[in-house]
Amino acid sequence: MMRQYDCMNHERLRESISDSWTKDVLPSLSGLVEIPAVSPAYDAQWEEHGHLRAAVEHVRAWVTARDLPGARCEVVQLDGRAPLLLVDVPATSGAASDGTVLLYGHLDKQPPLGDWSEGLGPWQPVIRDGRLYGRGSADDGYSGYAALTALEAVRASGGEHARAVILLETGEESGSPDLPAYLDHLGDRLGEVALVVCLDGGGGDYERLWLTSSLRGGVQATVTVRVLEHGVHSGLGSGIVPSSFRIMRQLLDRVEDPETGEVKVPEMVVPIPEERRAEAAELAARHPGVAVPPLPLAPGMRRVVDDEAELILNNTWRPTLSITGAAGLPDPAVAGAVLRASTSLRLSFRLPPTVDAEVARAALEKILTSDVPYGAQVEVTDFMALNGFYAPAPSPWLASALEQIGDRVFGKPCQSMGIGGGIPFMELLGRRYPDAQFVVTGALGSDSNAHVPDEWLNIPFAVQVTEAVAHLLDAHARSASHG
């Protein structure tokens, strides 16, 4: 039987983590916020600009200064690929030597996007009322700091941990296109991964540890409809040449019901597992107003449906389409009487966790380019496709550890839920290490403003998440050592 945390001093663990966050983590994490490390998909000259490398070097310098016994810290960069940071920490003497714990996060960031509130800015770290504001603070620059601080605290409090590898990539916000190559390159060095802890997640509030049971996949593409070589006076061309926007509307109706928003691409739809329906119903009943994020609706605006369980399933298991960008459309203030030559839209489909994203991508391209009205030119380019993730059931040791984390760290039970976003790394690791245990969690809250202006990290909650990771590390080491 597994021994329960019988050697670790819990008060010492909590003190160590709290002190580290105050004295060491927050100053360095604030420095990381200052680096405009925009993900490669949003910065074509990322290598020339050097911001991703600067972010990696910044965290590397902090890790190296920690002087964790036996730890090796290395920047890994394959030709033409965004760099990553790899920290390899040997097991403590009382832990099993077989099996690797992989702790994952990322250092790349979303673009600034829009106007931030007065006194705040994307590259301007501001600590206010227990929050650290700045792009990448919560999503998820804190993750590497939390992982290493947890490892240090386990050792300082008499606990145990197996061999641990912290992997911080710089392409997650771009769909992690380089990760398969890095996993192949680092496969032998990683060894047999037994436990994966991903800190790029979060949940509905800051009162408990939220565990991600599933992640959606996605397909993104830019669709361009061209009807003219160049724009012409609308008085001359309208009624003779169809509007590129009208043809775009017809194409969109092929893939989405304009009345309900239901996605009509069969390859993007799967049956919802009964356990996920039950989970959604439980969430809606136990945490009304929490499981569904409180979004800033415009006055008079209603949600799609009133049933919160159905909203949860819409957000986690049903495909959706968002139009996230456009080209060929001038600002209304300067829009002249012109029949435009073309219209381009960026389509972003969120897919159910078990959909094959490549199959969905191919189906989408075929639907949009076949039998186009009036013979207009249609191009579908700039694809991004990523598969979702469906977490395996926790093993007995992990279920027991999570129960004790709920009691000792948060005072409330952990809660599982599906997430509407995606983390490409999880699906990749799930296929590579099918027998591993997965804990996808994190400090993000529904109001953390990830990807939008005024992103912020809840500092006290991030400290608790760090403590939870430390308990997981110790519980895993003892379960491996004692069966």
Side-chain angles (χ1 to χ4, degrees):
M1 178 177 289
M2 179 185 78
R3 292 189 301 172
Q4 305 296 325
Y5 314 128
D6 50 1
C7 295
M8 193 162 63
N9 184 315
H10 307 296
E11 290 303 317
R12 175 63 186 134
L13 179 80
R14 182 165 294 175
E15 291 172 3
S16 174
I17 291 172
S18 179
D19 288 347
S20 291
W21 263 90
T22 300
K23 298 175 182 178
D24 303 311
V25 172
L26 283 174
S28 184
L29 179 54
S30 296
L32 181 64
V33 168
E34 294 177 345
I35 302 172
V38 175
S39 198
Y42 308 100
D43 182 5
Q45 296 178 291
W46 63 267
E47 194 159 17
E48 177 183 337
H49 291 155
H51 300 312
L52 294 178
R53 183 75 186 206
V56 169
E57 291 291 351
H58 178 86
V59 179
R60 183 200 63 77
W62 183 83
V63 171
T64 302
R66 306 304 295 165
D67 196 28
L68 191 61
R72 293 178 295 165
C73 185
E74 177 185 355
V75 177
V76 183
Q77 184 166 15
L78 300 176
D79 288 345
R81 300 187 184 277
L84 61 78
L85 186 66
L86 196 71
V87 184
D88 194 334
V89 182
T92 54
S93 59
S97 60
D98 59 333
T100 298
V101 178
L102 185 59
L103 300 118
Y104 168 81
H106 66 88
L107 299 175
D108 60 314
K109 309 176 184 182
Q110 283 280 322
L113 189 64
D115 296 327
W116 290 51
S117 298
E118 184 177 356
L120 303 178
W123 322 126
Q124 176 185 345
V126 174
I127 296 179
R128 182 189 299 169
D129 299 327
R131 301 176 174 186
L132 172 60
Y133 288 89
R135 177 64 82 227
S137 57
D139 185 20
D140 67 355
Y142 83 94
S143 59
Y145 294 96
L148 195 77
T149 298
L151 287 163
E152 290 179 322
V154 167
R155 290 176 175 239
S157 57
E160 307 285 355
H161 67 75
R163 181 212 177 198
V165 173
I166 302 171
L167 191 155
L168 305 175
E169 66 155 318
T170 59
E172 193 275 342
E173 301 291 5
S174 301
S176 298
D178 297 334
L179 265 183
Y182 277 117
L183 286 178
D184 289 340
H185 178 70
L186 298 170
D188 291 342
R189 293 175 58 181
L190 293 179
E192 189 59 35
V193 174
L195 171 64
V196 177
V197 180
C198 171
L199 294 173
D200 192 26
D205 58 29
Y206 303 105
E207 299 180 6
R208 72 203 80 232
L209 190 70
W210 291 87
L211 306 168
T212 300
S213 58
S214 64
L215 293 157
R216 285 197 289 185
V219 168
Q220 296 182 20
T222 298
V223 181
T224 299
V225 176
R226 180 172 295 278
V227 297
L228 294 167
E229 293 294 330
H230 56 79
V232 299
H233 193 297
S234 60
L236 296 176
S238 61
I240 298 174
V241 178
S243 161
S244 61
F245 193 86
R246 177 159 69 89
I247 295 174
M248 180 71 79
R249 284 163 46 199
Q250 291 178 269
L251 295 179
L252 291 178
D253 287 351
R254 293 180 177 183
V255 299
E256 180 194 45
D257 187 314
E259 294 289 333
T260 65
E262 180 182 352
V263 171
K264 298 160 66 174
V265 182
E267 291 81 357
M268 295 184 178
V269 182
V270 298
I272 301 175
E274 285 305 315
E275 61 267 28
R276 297 286 75 89
R277 289 186 179 275
E279 179 184 78
E282 178 191 5
L283 274 170
R286 294 181 60 181
H287 305 286
V290 173
V292 177
L295 302 175
L297 298 177
M301 181 67 190
R302 300 187 305 274
R303 299 187 299 191
V304 175
V305 295
D306 293 327
D307 188 321
E308 286 205 4
E310 289 302 306
L311 291 174
I312 292 169
L313 293 173
N314 284 349
N315 187 242
T316 57
W317 277 91
R318 294 187 179 113
T320 58
L321 170 62
S322 299
I323 308 299
T324 60
L329 295 165
D331 187 279
V334 295
V338 175
L339 181 64
R340 296 175 298 100
S342 66
T343 299
S344 296
L345 295 180
R346 183 68 173 169
L347 310 188
S348 178
F349 288 89
R350 293 289 182 174
L351 304 178
T354 54
V355 162
D356 187 316
E358 179 55 32
V359 172
R361 183 209 64 78
L364 174 67
E365 184 174 21
K366 182 177 180 180
I367 289 172
L368 294 175
T369 57
S370 300
D371 193 23
V372 177
Y374 303 101
Q377 293 181 3
V378 175
E379 289 184 304
V380 188
T381 59
D382 300 328
F383 282 108
M384 182 189 296
L386 58 96
N387 288 320
F389 172 73
Y390 196 8
S395 63
W397 77 262
L398 179 54
S400 176
L402 292 170
E403 182 179 351
Q404 295 200 32
I405 286 170
D407 291 339
R408 288 177 169 166
V409 180
F410 296 92
K412 293 185 178 181
C414 301
Q415 178 69 58
S416 294
M417 67 181 294
I419 298 293
I423 306 174
F425 192 47
M426 292 302 99
E427 190 272 337
L428 292 172
L429 282 182
R431 281 190 286 112
R432 187 173 288 259
Y433 303 108
D435 296 326
Q437 290 288 288
F438 285 80
V439 176
V440 183
T441 186
L444 277 167
S446 60
D447 57 350
S448 293
N449 292 342
H451 295 203
V452 299
D454 298 356
E455 178 180 340
W456 59 278
L457 173 71
N458 184 312
I459 297 171
F461 188 64
V463 172
Q464 287 183 297
V465 170
T466 304
E467 186 180 346
V469 172
H471 281 290
L472 284 173
L473 291 166
D474 185 66
H476 168 257
R478 296 185 190 285
S479 70
S481 299
H482 305 289

